[in-house]
Amino acid sequence: MKKILVPTDFSETATGALHAAQEIARQSGGTLHLLHVITPVIMPTATLDTTMGYNYSDPAVEQVMTRQLIEQAETQLQELAAASPVPVQTEVRLDQVTAGILETAEQTGAELIVIGSQGEGGTLFGSTHERVVRHSTCPVLSIREAKGRFSPQHIVLATDTEEHTPDIAPAVRQLQQLFGARLHVVTVRTASEAEEHTLQERLRTYAERHHLQDAALHVVTDEDVEEGILHFIDRQRADLVAMTTHGRSALVQLFSGSIAENVIHQGHRPVLTLHIEA
């Protein structure tokens, strides 16, 4: 994880995401790309300034206002970069926010996006976060709270044991090695699922396929997959949760009554996800 993209709206959770990214870069010897995306200012055409005598929809006025926003953001980014304990590149991009983040990730070859899951006031950047998670082609680490130092010691990787390409497991393995964390790989068995010994064998195959070492393998039996995962996370006192997300399985269905959404929005834990198309 040498190239880490950190989008920011300068909110408290975005600051928490920056601190988490700095810890990862410190351990990996990586570099951060700190990004702020500004949507171009477009004033309502009917708005007039009767005192000054010109129309605020004038492109020249919009350009001036946009330039002011860019200069303000550049100053804030430079201040954050100057205080960073790891190398930081900064960028202000004029674009739609989600598109700007995803395109920057592609252009910079980002191996990880670290993003706050709730923006200022709990609105704009929160919805942006959800769209980034859904469409990013690299893993996304979602940070909900800005409390404490990011140093995961108990990682829970929830899986349906199916073979996915790509899969979140390689990113989990890297974080486990960087922080010396204990890894728990878990799947949930419901009444309609295979026998427990079959799932145990699938877990062993999954761990071997992704070269997961020093990992405890768990089959949890529960009436509900989501509740089984959430209860297991609490019992293990996990400080990082990871899953590959797609639309085919109840275990990892994303943002539709999903486990990933509930884990991100109900708890304080960072959540690492990689979304793949069904």
Side-chain angles (χ1 to χ4, degrees):
M1 294 183 175
K2 299 289 188 179
K3 298 179 180 179
I4 304 171
L5 175 62
V6 188
T8 182
D9 61 353
F10 306 111
S11 64
E12 182 178 355
T13 51
T15 299
L18 173 59
H19 291 164
Q22 288 170 338
E23 289 298 327
I24 296 171
R26 191 203 304 268
Q27 296 295 329
S28 68
T31 300
L32 305 186
H33 191 99
L34 189 57
L35 171 71
H36 181 71
V37 182
I38 295 175
T39 302
V41 174
I42 301 177
M43 301 298 293
T45 57
T47 301
L48 297 174
D49 187 320
T50 56
T51 302
M52 300 300 293
Y54 57 78
N55 190 331
Y56 269 105
S57 65
D58 187 330
V61 176
E62 295 170 351
Q63 290 173 10
V64 169
M65 296 182 69
T66 299
R67 170 48 57 185
Q68 290 175 341
L69 291 175
I70 292 173
E71 291 175 352
Q72 180 182 6
E74 287 176 340
T75 298
Q76 290 176 281
L77 289 177
Q78 289 301 324
E79 290 174 352
L80 292 173
S84 176
V86 298
V88 177
Q89 298 175 342
T90 63
E91 178 183 357
V92 177
R93 183 171 184 139
L94 204 60
D95 205 336
Q96 298 301 313
V97 179
T98 302
I101 293 171
L102 296 174
E103 289 175 12
T104 301
E106 291 288 340
Q107 292 167 359
T108 61
E111 300 168 63
L112 176 69
I113 298 174
V114 185
I115 186 171
S117 63
Q118 180 172 302
E120 196 69 51
T123 53
L124 177 61
F125 216 55
S127 59
T128 296
H129 157 262
E130 293 183 2
R131 291 191 292 269
V132 169
V133 168
R134 289 178 182 178
H135 298 290
S136 173
T137 57
C138 71
V140 178
L141 178 61
S142 302
I143 304 294
R144 181 167 175 78
E145 295 185 358
K147 298 178 181 178
R149 178 185 175 188
F150 181 81
S151 181
Q153 297 301 302
H154 298 278
I155 302 175
V156 168
L157 169 56
T159 178
D160 57 3
T161 72
E162 293 182 11
E163 184 171 354
H164 304 297
T165 304
D167 194 279
I168 197 63
V172 172
R173 185 176 67 246
Q174 290 184 60
L175 288 174
Q176 178 195 17
Q177 294 171 349
L178 288 175
F179 292 95
R182 176 66 168 159
L183 176 60
H184 298 269
V185 185
V186 62
T187 193
V188 176
R189 176 183 178 272
T190 62
S192 60
E193 294 289 337
E195 294 295 328
E196 182 171 346
H197 70 274
T198 302
L199 291 176
Q200 284 283 4
E201 183 58 35
R202 290 181 185 174
L203 275 179
R204 282 192 289 271
T205 300
Y206 177 86
E208 291 172 0
R209 181 166 64 243
H210 294 290
H211 309 289
L212 300 177
Q213 299 178 351
D214 300 323
L217 308 181
H218 306 266
V219 175
V220 175
T221 301
D222 201 291
E223 294 181 0
D224 180 80
V225 172
E226 179 177 320
E227 290 299 319
I229 292 294
L230 293 174
H231 291 159
F232 181 81
I233 290 169
D234 286 336
R235 287 197 301 272
Q236 297 300 327
R237 298 183 179 180
D239 43 22
L240 176 62
V241 181
M243 58 188 75
T244 300
T245 62
H246 57 73
R248 292 181 299 176
S249 164
L251 176 60
V252 288
Q253 186 177 0
L254 181 63
F255 294 118
S256 179
S258 69
I259 295 167
E261 182 182 43
N262 287 338
V263 171
I264 291 171
H265 294 294
Q266 289 183 7
H268 62 278
R269 306 171 184 85
V271 180
L272 181 69
T273 54
L274 177 62
H275 185 65
I276 60 174
E277 296 300 325

